[in-house]
Amino acid sequence: MDIIPIIANKVLALKNKTKTYVLIVLVLCIWGIIGYRVLSAINPNAPQIAQQNMEVQFTPNTIKEADNFSVQTVERDPFLGTLYVKKEKKQVIQRPVTKSITWPDVIYHGSISTQHKQIKMFIVSINGLQQFVKPKQTIEGIKLLRGTSQSIVISYKGQRKTVQKI
């Protein structure tokens, strides 16, 4: 009776060993397939290139003559069927060219007004001399026509000019 348990243990041990051997073979096959695919992706086989015929023929295009056409004046409107009426050119009256005037140096510094804004005076430098000027007042031939807090309009020898605040 002592032999039966020994044989049973050997049969069981043999069973476990065969499973182990089978599993080892399967694992090696799977890793072999993975390794083969990695190596074949890294070093792919060069494709076969067929020789092409490299003969080229050149045939120049023939030059066609350009179409000739002419433009004629249209006397009738194609949509309305009426005749065109030519507009007469108006004569442009030319104004006599005024001589350019050399303006004195005018600089606008700002404005001052009373509390009730009844009197508004502007600070203007004319040829480097700073002065207080009221609207409609003339100093050195320069007349102050009107002004705002940002600019003034002055006239000198019949010409007008807008001076911006500095």
Side-chain angles (χ1 to χ4, degrees), residues 57-106:
Q57 294 180 354
F58 176 73
T59 54
N61 293 335
T62 57
I63 299 173
K64 296 179 182 177
E65 291 185 29
D67 293 336
N68 294 331
F69 61 92
S70 63
V71 178
Q72 298 175 355
T73 59
V74 178
E75 297 175 1
R76 186 173 292 276
D77 188 349
F79 299 106
L80 299 176
T82 59
L83 294 176
Y84 283 126
V85 178
K86 293 184 180 180
K87 296 181 180 178
E88 294 180 17
K89 293 183 180 179
K90 295 181 181 178
Q91 292 181 351
V92 178
I93 300 172
Q94 294 181 351
R95 295 182 183 171
V97 178
T98 57
K99 296 179 182 177
S100 62
I101 298 173
T102 306
W103 283 76
D105 292 331
V106 178

Side-chain angles (χ1 to χ4, degrees), residues 5-21:
I6 294 173
I7 293 174
N9 283 341
K10 289 201 178 212
V11 169
L12 286 175
L14 184 62
K15 251 185 175 179
N16 287 339
K17 285 183 182 179
T18 56
K19 286 182 185 178
T20 305
Y21 292 138

Side-chain angles (χ1 to χ4, degrees), residues 39-164:
L39 287 176
S40 65
I42 292 173
N43 297 324
N45 293 337
Q48 295 289 333
I49 299 175
Q51 291 291 333
Q52 295 180 354
N53 187 5
M54 294 294 183
E55 287 185 31
V56 178
Q57 294 180 354
F58 176 73
T59 54
N61 293 335
T62 57
I63 299 173
K64 296 179 182 177
E65 291 185 29
D67 293 336
N68 294 331
F69 61 92
S70 63
V71 178
Q72 298 175 355
T73 59
V74 178
E75 297 175 1
R76 186 173 292 276
D77 188 349
F79 299 106
L80 299 176
T82 59
L83 294 176
Y84 283 126
V85 178
K86 293 184 180 180
K87 296 181 180 178
E88 294 180 17
K89 293 183 180 179
K90 295 181 181 178
Q91 292 181 351
V92 178
I93 300 172
Q94 294 181 351
R95 295 182 183 171
V97 178
T98 57
K99 296 179 182 177
S100 62
I101 298 173
T102 306
W103 283 76
D105 292 331
V106 178
I107 301 171
Y108 174 49
H109 297 285
S111 63
I112 301 174
S113 62
T114 60
Q115 289 180 350
H116 303 292
K117 294 191 177 186
Q118 294 174 351
I119 301 171
K120 192 166 189 177
M121 297 187 72
F122 300 94
I123 304 170
V124 180
S125 292
I126 300 172
N127 290 330
L129 183 62
Q130 193 173 32
Q131 300 178 10
F132 292 103
V133 183
K134 294 180 186 177
K136 310 287 187 214
Q137 184 180 359
T138 303
I139 297 177
E140 296 184 25
I142 296 176
K143 183 176 183 179
L144 178 65
L145 300 174
R146 64 181 176 272
T148 63
S149 61
Q150 297 298 319
S151 65
I152 58 171
V153 178
I154 57 175
S155 71
Y156 180 69
K157 294 185 180 179
Q159 288 188 353
R160 290 185 178 193
K161 181 178 180 181
T162 302
V163 180
Q164 301 293 326

